[in-house]
Amino acid sequence: MKTRDKIIFESLKLFNENGERQVTTNHIAAHLGLSPGTLYYHFRNKEDIIQSIFEKYISHMRESFLPAEDNVPAEVFLQKYCDEVFSSIWTFRFFHSSMPGIVLRDKELHAQYLSAHNVMGERAKQSVINLKRDNIIQIDDEEIDDLIELMRVVGSFWMSYLMANANDEIITKASIYRGVVKIMTLLWPYTTPVGRTRLLVLRNKYEKLASEQ
């Protein structure tokens, strides 16, 4: 792995474990066994490192939240959407835990975030429309946008919610999967009798993952 890529990878790890505000460039350099001068050769400052990590976040979002192929069952696409929401939150959890503070201090970063967030919204909308198409849920057209917005809120700010309510507790993968269960919960009141049967396996899967220690 090239030095620049290693700095990005290990910085993401440190930010995830300790929080972005607690990690300085000196911490990163010491963690990697590099001199500060070597780190500054590749990155001007910590914000430059964050920008590079965010570029990877954007790529992850665009590559993961892809449109469904024709004839893919709605619950299969929903599972992919939920899995990618989890992957995004867990892999880039320091972003999700303090997203407003990070993006609002950098206009370019904010614009990129909004673009990526819209991609997630498009996939959420496609998931809901597919569920309605396959008679898994029944929902009035005028209610769809509100449901999608709630799904986006959970997907984007679940980590912030966990951090705000944590009492010296370590955020685990199970904690993140609880957020995925909340997405399923938002859909549940709209399910048809047939749809509830089809989604029950998926809901049980996420509830099991959310309960694992």
Side-chain angles (χ1 to χ4, degrees):
M1 183 182 295
K2 294 181 180 179
T3 300
R4 178 182 173 84
D5 293 334
K6 191 172 183 180
I7 292 171
I8 294 172
F9 178 81
E10 293 298 331
S11 295
L12 174 59
K13 181 179 178 181
L14 288 173
F15 292 156
N16 281 341
E17 292 175 351
N18 303 292
E20 173 261 333
R21 292 187 178 183
Q22 305 302 318
V23 179
T24 67
T25 52
N26 285 338
H27 290 140
I28 296 168
H31 175 75
L32 288 163
L34 300 174
S35 68
T38 299
L39 187 145
Y40 289 126
Y41 173 79
H42 294 280
F43 297 96
R44 293 167 296 173
N45 48 41
K46 189 172 81 171
E47 293 301 319
D48 197 16
I49 296 174
I50 291 173
Q51 175 68 44
S52 296
I53 295 174
F54 200 80
E55 289 172 1
K56 292 189 176 297
Y57 172 74
I58 297 294
S59 296
H60 174 86
M61 295 285 286
R62 295 194 180 281
E63 293 169 4
S64 299
F65 290 90
L66 297 175
E69 297 178 0
D70 292 339
N71 301 320
V72 172
E75 65 268 36
V76 173
F77 185 72
L78 175 63
Q79 178 174 347
K80 178 174 174 53
Y81 171 80
C82 290
D83 287 344
E84 292 305 338
V85 166
F86 166 82
S87 175
S88 169
I89 296 174
W90 182 252
T91 304
F92 299 93
R93 54 194 179 276
F94 89 91
F95 271 133
H96 287 272
S97 67
S98 52
M99 187 69 74
I102 292 174
V103 299
L104 291 179
R105 67 180 187 237
D106 187 321
K107 289 185 178 180
E108 182 180 350
L109 213 63
H110 193 190
Q112 292 177 5
Y113 166 74
L114 291 175
S115 176
H117 191 64
N118 286 336
V119 170
M120 181 185 289
E122 290 168 5
R123 301 304 172 257
K125 186 169 187 175
Q126 184 176 11
S127 181
V128 171
I129 289 172
N130 289 353
L131 290 169
K132 182 176 181 179
R133 177 203 66 197
D134 289 2
N135 196 37
I136 292 176
I137 65 172
Q138 288 182 341
I139 183 171
D140 294 336
D141 289 342
E142 58 267 25
E143 294 183 68
I144 289 177
D145 286 344
D146 284 340
L147 175 58
I148 291 164
E149 187 166 15
L150 289 171
M151 291 170 66
R152 292 174 68 178
V153 168
V154 174
S156 298
F157 297 105
W158 180 250
M159 189 68 190
S160 298
Y161 170 81
L162 290 176
M163 294 293 292
N165 289 276
N167 185 17
D168 296 326
E169 298 173 2
I170 297 174
I171 304 300
T172 64
K173 288 185 177 182
S175 304
I176 306 301
Y177 271 119
R178 282 174 48 215
V180 179
V181 172
K182 300 307 179 188
I183 292 176
M184 299 294 298
T185 300
L186 287 172
L187 292 168
W188 206 249
Y190 298 98
T191 52
T192 64
V194 173
R196 187 160 294 200
T197 299
R198 290 174 67 176
L199 289 185
L200 185 59
V201 174
L202 189 57
R203 180 169 181 163
N204 288 343
K205 167 193 170 181
Y206 291 124
E207 287 179 343
K208 181 180 179 180
L209 289 168
S211 66
E212 292 179 351
Q213 300 298 321

